[in-house]
Amino acid sequence: MKELSLLAVAGALFVGGLTSEAQAATFTTSGLLTSPPVGAYELFVFDVDVAGTTTLQLSSDSDAFLGLFSGNGVLDNSTFISQDDDSGGGLNSFLSSTLAIGTYTAWITSHGSYWDTGSNAIATDHDHLPMNYTLTINTDISGASTVPLPAAAPLLGGGLGLLGFFGWRKKRKAAA
């Protein structure tokens, strides 16, 4: 009887070990972006540990502007991914992008600055207002799905269980 229960536990561990759940990581920070100098901005560097969809939400009491770049704080056309002004509702910014594993930079500023791919630089078309902001980065790794249970796994578990049962039965008959 002891062998049968050990095989049952081993089968349960085998079948249970075939699935894995994806987890999300969320980072939130708040601050004040002051108005001088013109073109003032802040950079936030973050890592994506598992490829998938990453969302960035920038909420503020002013007109927020958000940019996304690959790498560790280098802003140029080769690292530029995307930017947004008002997709987050009202004057807030929102970006959603499928990102690979790596390091990325969120660039926040108030309306009046944007990334100009033509000049490969930050362009400023008017003065900034001071801005209280909250930046939320969510690496919802929906691109990494749960590993499915293979169709043959229950058959394998059942086969192992039968082999264990017949082995136990044979030992029991030999002992009698």
Side-chain angles (χ1 to χ4, degrees):
M1 190 72 159
K2 191 172 185 178
E3 285 181 22
L4 185 60
S5 24
L6 286 177
L7 281 172
V9 169
L13 289 174
F14 171 75
V15 172
L18 291 175
T19 61
S20 66
E21 286 295 321
Q23 298 293 320
T26 301
F27 166 79
T28 301
T29 186
S30 299
L32 171 66
L33 187 65
T34 57
S35 57
V38 171
Y41 62 88
E42 289 191 20
L43 300 177
F44 295 91
V45 176
F46 64 98
D47 291 319
V48 173
D49 296 328
V50 178
T53 302
T54 297
T55 59
L56 295 90
Q57 173 77 43
L58 178 60
S59 304
S60 73
D61 59 359
S62 182
D63 192 356
F65 197 88
L66 175 63
L68 178 61
F69 295 80
S70 62
N72 192 359
V74 176
L75 306 183
D76 63 28
N77 282 345
S78 68
T79 61
F80 174 76
I81 296 173
S82 185
Q83 62 185 344
D84 180 70
D85 186 11
D86 294 330
S87 295
L91 299 176
N92 298 318
S93 300
F94 177 81
L95 289 172
S96 179
S97 201
T98 301
L99 301 178
I101 295 170
T103 301
Y104 296 88
T105 300
W107 167 61
I108 68 167
T109 187
S110 62
H111 180 71
S113 292
Y114 59 94
W115 184 257
D116 183 2
T117 55
S119 66
N120 193 28
I122 297 170
T124 306
D125 56 15
H126 62 273
D127 290 342
H128 290 233
L129 297 172
M131 178 178 82
N132 289 299
Y133 65 85
T134 300
L135 174 66
T136 302
I137 301 171
N138 180 23
T139 56
D140 172 307
I141 52 177
S142 59
S145 62
T146 301
V147 178
L149 176 68
L155 293 174
L156 177 62
L160 288 174
L162 281 174
L163 287 173
F165 174 74
F166 287 128
W168 170 78
R169 188 172 155 200
K170 183 179 179 182
K171 281 187 178 184
R172 185 173 169 198
K173 279 188 177 184

